[in-house]
Amino acid sequence: MITLVLIGLLGGLITAVSPCIMPVLPVVFLAGGPGTEPSKPDGPTPPDPSEAQARAAGGVRLDAPPKETSRSPRNRRPYAVVAGLVLSFGFFTLLGVTIISALGLPQDILRYIGLALLILIGLGLIFPAVERILEKPFARIPQRQVNKEGSAFVLGLGLGLLYVPCAGPVLAAITVAGARGEINADIVALTLSFAVGTAIPLLVFALAGRRVAERVAAFRTRARKLRIVAGALMIALAFALAFDVTTALQKALPDYTAAAQKAVEDNDTARQQLSGLYDDSNKDLARCEDGINELRSCGAAPQIAGIAKWLNTPGGRPVDLAALRGRVVLIDFWTYSCINCQRSLPHVEAWDRAYRDKGLTVIGVHSPEFAFEKNAGNVADQARKLGVTYPVALDNKLDTWDNYRNRFWPAKYLIDARGTVRYFTFGEGR
């Protein structure tokens, strides 16, 4: 288990500096700045009579205790934000699907809650009365300063519901286990270590925001105006996330963590540690290494099974691999919020246009990373926006993902005319 924990920790560290988390970084940075505004006394503080007498006599009170240097309470907002983010992300990644299914709630309810919390926190920064309402649930906690960080913790909870990092094998193993309800001690340890690894860079960023707020004079002298600006930015971010405006920025940035992620999460040791989620079926696929520049025989292509719905097929009818004998088939595992998937889709679409009439059939298998990606309407809308016109199978139960022993978003499997897997590759490129 120690090796598994180390893999999770390193995977979390890499994920927390990937391009996919760019949308939440400004909020984490701003949240580490000024906390609740200090309260001011209603009127002037009356002078101490004995001190006034001593000054009038030209002397000093010998019996007066030394004055304590007043210090403003330590700003713990960075810790509260990151703690809330890690707690909600870890908890709902593992148990979100189970809770939503048990309560019969819409699949994207958690995302809506996260957006609502982000807007509420933004309003709280603009209107102190709203912030006081958000802090009321923490009023029973004895430490006064902890109460003051209540809204920061709520902000972290909301960010955790909106946090959609780039998924490598570690996060894939966690989300698949959570989606299937297969939670054991190893998965919990992997989740906790991944969460801690993710928290470290985010906490550094939040502490940097606090340091800037404490050291730069403009932050101290214009605290009220800066809080209003921060609140407005958080509300703007909520709407940007709701309408998928942030995707353009994420897609524009290069995937600078891909090599490090593959080295940590997809080496022989990591594959062996994470392979416990798979049974012995279709084990011929495990004999072939991904991305080798030659065609090999990696066993019969597993069936596309457990599909909730088909898109882009006549009448929504399913596609049977057996009926495609004589054609080459490319299966592309993807999910619409995955930036790596979005960057690879134009290439897949170009292959489909160029080779469909020459014997190639492309099938997109949409295997959701998060609960809100199970919504068929969301997938259809995003597929249309992304220009996907070939058949798409909604693998909401991740049955086909398991059949192919998959570990990555995106992942591509090339199947020859006889139905044998000849090549597969994970991630972007190639």
Side-chain angles (χ1 to χ4, degrees):
M1 184 179 286
I2 294 176
T3 304
L4 195 65
V5 168
L6 184 60
I7 292 170
L9 183 66
L10 293 175
L13 283 168
I14 294 169
T15 300
V17 295
S18 68
C20 297
I21 64 148
M22 288 298 174
V24 305
L25 285 185
V27 177
V28 172
F29 184 83
L30 290 171
T36 305
E37 293 175 294
S39 58
K40 296 180 181 179
D42 296 330
T45 304
D48 186 339
S50 56
E51 289 185 1
Q53 292 172 3
R55 284 197 298 271
V60 179
R61 283 186 59 198
L62 297 178
D63 60 332
K67 282 190 176 182
E68 294 183 1
T69 304
S70 61
R71 293 182 181 177
S72 58
R74 188 68 170 167
N75 175 10
R76 298 188 182 92
R77 290 177 66 85
Y79 300 98
V81 171
V82 174
L85 188 153
V86 169
L87 177 65
S88 65
F89 176 75
F91 180 82
F92 287 109
T93 298
L94 275 184
L95 298 176
V97 173
T98 303
I99 294 171
I100 289 171
S101 300
L103 298 178
L105 298 172
Q107 296 291 348
D108 44 7
I109 186 68
L110 295 178
R111 182 171 172 80
Y112 291 147
I113 292 173
L115 291 169
L117 288 176
L118 196 56
I119 292 173
L120 280 175
I121 296 298
L123 292 173
L125 287 171
I126 298 172
F127 305 106
V130 177
E131 187 174 46
R132 286 193 291 271
I133 293 173
L134 293 173
E135 290 172 348
K136 275 189 176 180
F138 300 88
R140 296 182 181 275
I141 302 177
Q143 293 86 353
R144 182 175 178 275
Q145 185 60 24
V146 172
N147 302 342
K148 293 295 184 182
E149 314 306 351
S151 62
F153 184 73
V154 174
L155 171 61
L157 293 176
L159 287 177
L161 298 175
L162 301 171
Y163 186 53
V164 185
C166 300
V170 171
L171 185 53
I174 295 170
T175 55
V176 170
R180 300 180 68 85
E182 299 172 353
I183 301 172
N184 53 39
D186 286 343
I187 286 295
V188 172
L190 186 66
T191 303
L192 291 176
S193 59
F194 181 85
V196 171
T198 302
I200 293 172
L202 293 177
L203 182 59
V204 170
F205 207 75
L207 290 173
R210 184 182 73 178
R211 186 174 181 85
V212 170
E214 292 174 345
R215 296 299 177 91
V216 177
F219 275 79
R220 297 193 302 271
T221 58
R222 298 181 177 86
R224 178 65 190 143
K225 292 180 180 178
L226 288 169
R227 282 169 56 84
I228 293 174
V229 171
L233 286 175
M234 288 186 189
I235 294 172
L237 175 63
F239 282 97
L241 290 170
F243 294 100
D244 205 29
V245 176
T246 56
T247 301
L249 170 63
Q250 293 170 306
K251 288 170 69 174
L253 293 171
D255 190 13
Y256 48 80
T257 58
Q261 185 179 63
K262 187 171 180 62
V264 170
E265 301 185 35
D266 198 37
N267 55 53
D268 291 339
T269 302
R271 279 198 291 268
Q272 184 179 359
Q273 289 290 322
L274 298 174
S275 64
L277 292 175
Y278 305 98
D279 55 29
D280 288 334
S281 61
N282 305 320
K283 58 185 178 182
D284 284 343
L285 282 170
R287 296 186 313 185
C288 293
E289 186 179 350
D290 71 290
I292 300 299
N293 291 325
E294 62 182 27
L295 296 178
R296 295 156 297 161
S297 179
C298 303
Q303 286 299 309
I304 299 175
I307 301 305
K309 185 175 182 178
W310 282 87
L311 305 176
N312 300 336
T313 62
R317 290 194 295 272
V319 176
D320 183 9
L321 283 182
L324 295 174
R325 293 292 185 267
R327 292 182 64 85
V328 172
V329 178
L330 178 71
I331 291 183
D332 179 32
F333 284 91
W334 68 294
T335 185
Y336 73 76
S337 74
C338 167
I339 299 302
N340 306 91
C341 299
Q342 291 183 21
R343 283 200 287 245
S344 71
L345 280 176
H347 303 282
V348 181
E349 293 157 6
W351 296 334
D352 177 54
R353 289 191 300 269
Y355 301 110
R356 180 184 293 188
D357 295 336
K358 297 177 175 62
L360 175 69
T361 296
V362 177
I363 299 173
V365 177
H366 187 275
S367 300
E369 183 181 356
F370 301 103
F372 63 85
E373 294 172 311
K374 291 185 175 185
N375 186 297
N378 289 350
V379 181
D381 181 59
Q382 291 298 318
R384 186 168 52 253
K385 289 180 180 178
L386 294 167
V388 177
T389 58
Y390 46 79
V392 175
L394 273 60
D395 184 29
N396 285 353
K397 295 181 180 179
L398 300 172
D399 289 341
T400 301
W401 173 286
D402 275 356
N403 285 349
Y404 280 79
R405 305 171 72 92
N406 194 39
R407 302 190 302 278
F408 265 101
W409 290 279
K412 296 164 184 62
Y413 293 79
L414 188 66
I415 303 167
D416 70 12
R418 295 186 178 90
T420 300
V421 177
R422 303 296 302 276
Y423 178 87
F424 58 89
T425 181
F426 300 146
E428 295 181 60
R430 303 202 182 103

